[in-house]
Amino acid sequence: MVDILHRIGVTSSPDDVYTALTTIDGLAGWWTRDTDGDTDIGGVIRFRFEPGGFDMKVLETRPAERVLWEVVDGPEEWIGTRIRFDLKQEDGFTIVLFRHEGWKEPVEFMYHCSTKWAIFLMSLKNLVETGKGEPAPHDVKISNWH
Amino acid sequence: MVDILHRIGVTSSPDDVYTALTTIDGLAGWWTRDTDGDTDIGGVIRFRFEPGGFDMKVLETRPAERVLWEVVDGPEEWIGTRIRFDLKQEDGFTIVLFRHEGWKEPVEFMYHCSTKWAIFLMSLKNLVETGKGEPAPHDVKISNWH
């Protein structure tokens, strides 16, 4: 099992970051405009992109502290993996520790997703700090895989 | 052992990307302005940043294909780890498969370095495609850890 790890700091409150991770409007503001579904525990959130998308089951939401999803539909490599956001305060920043955990193998698609997650986490930071993220389809392109 | 993985695509030739990875001018154009040393096999390249830096021993350079370094000085967590850039052509892009391998533990600093590597690889992409990267000290800041 191998994991993708990232860490960003947002100059806003943990509550504001948490809102961007647990509401359809928030998620559509930094990851992909085409987001809908149920953000409550046990609900499924649908994220769609031009080439496909992901369905996430919400496993845990702890206000201003943690969000945990399990991938229940999407690319084969993603199904069964988990996506975790842990929040804490440090030096006036809300630190987001991100983990996309449980990849079976470090396939080339995992290399791509690791870089792309960094791009989207910077979009989350921009959304919460400035009100404007860069969600798909207006996301920063990194390669032939978009 | 855990690894940081990334993948970017550069709309330039493998030779141009290789030059940015194997010359002091190239490296200083996307990672840190404060770069010097010997880029030949067995040489040591010094990369310095405001809070410290890294010394890399060049283990392998295969033109337009691969660059491999071993960290011989720097933060304790980095010493002995290896940094690998593998290049290939695909769909008109030069694909860079990046691996910072051999971390002993997934410490919080590794989360930070993973995101920061993505930022610097986008700087590499920008340098080769446009002639202008964002090397330290003008790099994109991601948190209280810069």
Side-chain angles (χ1 to χ4, degrees):
Chain A
M1 293 291 212
V2 281
D3 302 339
I4 293 170
L5 310 176
H6 287 297
R7 180 186 189 277
I8 59 164
V10 182
T11 56
S12 306
S13 71
D15 282 336
D16 287 348
V17 176
Y18 184 78
T19 298
L21 296 173
T22 53
T23 62
I24 298 297
D25 272 1
L27 293 162
W30 66 269
W31 200 17
T32 177
R33 287 272 175 233
D34 191 353
T35 297
D36 58 37
D38 175 5
T39 61
D40 292 335
I41 291 177
V44 172
I45 315 176
R46 289 175 65 263
F47 299 95
R48 290 296 176 272
F49 301 79
E50 266 178 45
F54 314 104
D55 286 2
M56 306 288 187
K57 184 172 178 183
V58 180
L59 296 187
E60 191 177 349
T61 56
R62 209 183 297 170
E65 280 187 21
R66 174 176 290 175
V67 173
L68 177 63
W69 300 327
E70 182 176 335
V71 183
V72 293
D73 203 1
E76 188 191 339
E77 299 93 332
W78 277 51
I79 294 176
T81 63
R82 291 183 175 198
I83 291 163
R84 178 189 304 265
F85 303 85
D86 282 305
L87 312 182
K88 63 176 178 175
Q89 286 183 286
E90 199 175 286
D91 300 338
F93 287 79
T94 297
I95 303 300
V96 180
L97 293 176
F98 170 89
R99 193 161 183 147
H100 183 175
E101 60 195 15
W103 289 72
K104 289 193 188 79
E105 299 288 341
V107 292
E108 189 170 341
F109 184 47
M110 184 177 170
Y111 287 66
H112 166 77
C113 293
S114 175
T115 314
K116 201 73 200 193
W117 271 124
I119 297 290
F120 281 119
L121 289 165
M122 292 301 286
S123 170
L124 166 66
K125 174 175 166 69
N126 290 339
L127 173 71
V128 179
E129 290 180 351
T130 73
K132 189 168 164 31
E134 302 86 37
H138 306 296
D139 51 321
V140 177
K141 303 304 189 270
I142 65 172
S143 75
N144 57 329
W145 290 357
H146 310 293
Chain B
M1 293 291 211
V2 280
D3 302 340
I4 293 170
L5 310 176
H6 287 298
R7 180 187 190 277
I8 59 164
V10 183
T11 55
S12 306
S13 72
D15 283 337
D16 287 348
V17 176
Y18 184 77
T19 298
L21 296 174
T22 53
T23 63
I24 298 297
D25 272 1
L27 293 162
W30 66 268
W31 200 18
T32 176
R33 287 273 175 232
D34 191 352
T35 297
D36 59 36
D38 175 5
T39 61
D40 292 335
I41 290 177
V44 172
I45 315 175
R46 288 175 65 261
F47 299 94
R48 290 296 176 273
F49 300 80
E50 267 178 44
F54 315 103
D55 287 2
M56 305 290 186
K57 184 172 179 183
V58 180
L59 296 188
E60 190 177 351
T61 54
R62 209 183 296 170
E65 279 187 21
R66 173 176 291 176
V67 173
L68 177 63
W69 300 327
E70 181 176 334
V71 183
V72 293
D73 203 359
E76 188 191 340
E77 299 93 332
W78 278 50
I79 293 176
T81 62
R82 292 184 174 196
I83 290 163
R84 179 188 304 265
F85 303 85
D86 282 305
L87 312 182
K88 64 175 179 176
Q89 286 184 285
E90 198 175 287
D91 301 338
F93 287 79
T94 296
I95 303 300
V96 181
L97 292 177
F98 170 91
R99 193 161 183 148
H100 183 175
E101 59 193 16
W103 288 73
K104 289 194 189 76
E105 298 288 340
V107 292
E108 188 170 341
F109 184 46
M110 183 177 171
Y111 287 67
H112 166 76
C113 293
S114 175
T115 314
K116 202 73 200 191
W117 271 125
I119 297 290
F120 282 120
L121 289 166
M122 291 302 286
S123 171
L124 166 65
K125 174 175 165 68
N126 291 339
L127 173 70
V128 179
E129 291 180 351
T130 72
K132 190 168 163 29
E134 302 86 37
H138 306 297
D139 51 321
V140 176
K141 304 303 191 269
I142 64 172
S143 75
N144 57 329
W145 290 357
H146 310 294

